[in-house]
Amino acid sequence: LIPFLPILIKDYSVLDELGINAVLIYLIYLSQSVSSYLFFAYRSVIVKADQKSYIFNVITCVIDVVMSATQILILLVWGNYIAYITALIGFNIIQNLFFATIATKKYPGCFRGPKNKLSKQEIKDIFKDCSALFIFRLDNVVVKATDNLVLSSFMGLAFVGEYSTYLLIY
């Protein structure tokens, strides 16, 4: 989407004048999203499947409090929005590593190497299910994100900010 940012953001030239690098901010948010899937995040699924998500809820709450405090300090000390959003990536990685460690200790037998190889039919079924899940997730993102893209391209970022705040409060 980087080549389309000037089209998707109504007053894109104003951002440059203000010294705001929209591409960098977009890439940091993209990295934050990607980091939520990396660093052994898949290991937490076994705990969730065992319906013991409450274990993660406590950790998530503590990490969120520490992250918020860190972000407040970043804004107070440096006043740097880039550092503020970059902290999200670091705390995402820390959370995933905590979750992976707990899952590995709680279910050690699930993360040993495979004893037998999967058959071609099993691989085909997994690929089919994963592709269906990918399409479902992509559809979900498209449906939930298009309103902000359309508003941003016609009304501007300030309006999107006001709308998002109103929607959050609502």
Side-chain angles (χ1 to χ4, degrees):
L1 291 176
I2 291 174
F4 302 106
L5 283 180
I7 298 167
L8 296 173
I9 300 173
K10 181 180 180 189
D11 300 324
Y12 188 81
S13 59
V14 174
L15 294 176
D16 286 336
E17 293 170 11
L18 293 172
I20 298 172
N21 188 343
V23 173
L24 178 63
I25 292 171
Y26 173 76
L27 288 174
I28 292 171
Y29 273 113
L30 184 62
S31 300
Q32 189 268 335
S33 179
V34 168
S35 73
S36 68
Y37 297 103
L38 299 177
F39 303 103
F40 307 109
Y42 64 90
R43 290 187 180 209
S44 66
V45 172
I46 190 73
V47 177
K48 292 174 186 173
D50 196 22
Q51 297 184 358
K52 296 202 170 60
S53 292
Y54 63 88
I55 297 169
F56 292 159
N57 292 344
V58 173
I59 294 169
T60 301
C61 186
V62 170
I63 288 176
D64 284 349
V65 168
V66 173
M67 179 182 66
S68 296
T70 303
Q71 288 180 311
I72 289 169
L73 280 173
I74 287 171
L75 288 176
L76 289 175
V77 173
W78 292 299
N80 187 337
Y81 183 68
I82 302 294
Y84 171 85
I85 59 176
T86 302
L88 292 171
I89 298 169
F91 281 99
N92 241 357
I93 293 168
I94 290 168
Q95 181 173 313
N96 285 346
L97 291 175
F98 267 115
F99 289 175
T101 303
I102 290 169
T104 303
K105 285 182 180 178
K106 198 158 183 63
Y107 306 95
C110 292
F111 303 109
R112 292 191 185 122
K115 293 181 181 177
N116 300 323
K117 287 193 165 201
L118 295 174
S119 70
K120 290 189 179 201
Q121 183 59 39
E122 288 173 321
I123 293 171
K124 187 176 180 182
D125 290 343
I126 290 172
F127 183 77
K128 179 182 170 189
D129 291 344
C130 287
S131 61
L133 182 62
F134 171 76
I135 291 170
F136 172 76
R137 295 281 301 219
L138 181 65
D139 177 57
N140 195 20
V141 167
V142 167
V143 167
K144 290 186 177 186
T146 51
D147 57 346
N148 283 343
L149 289 174
V150 170
L151 287 173
S152 174
S153 61
F154 289 108
M155 304 295 288
L157 284 177
F159 183 80
V160 172
E162 291 175 16
Y163 167 74
S164 297
T165 304
Y166 171 77
L167 191 61
L168 178 68
I169 291 170
Y170 177 74

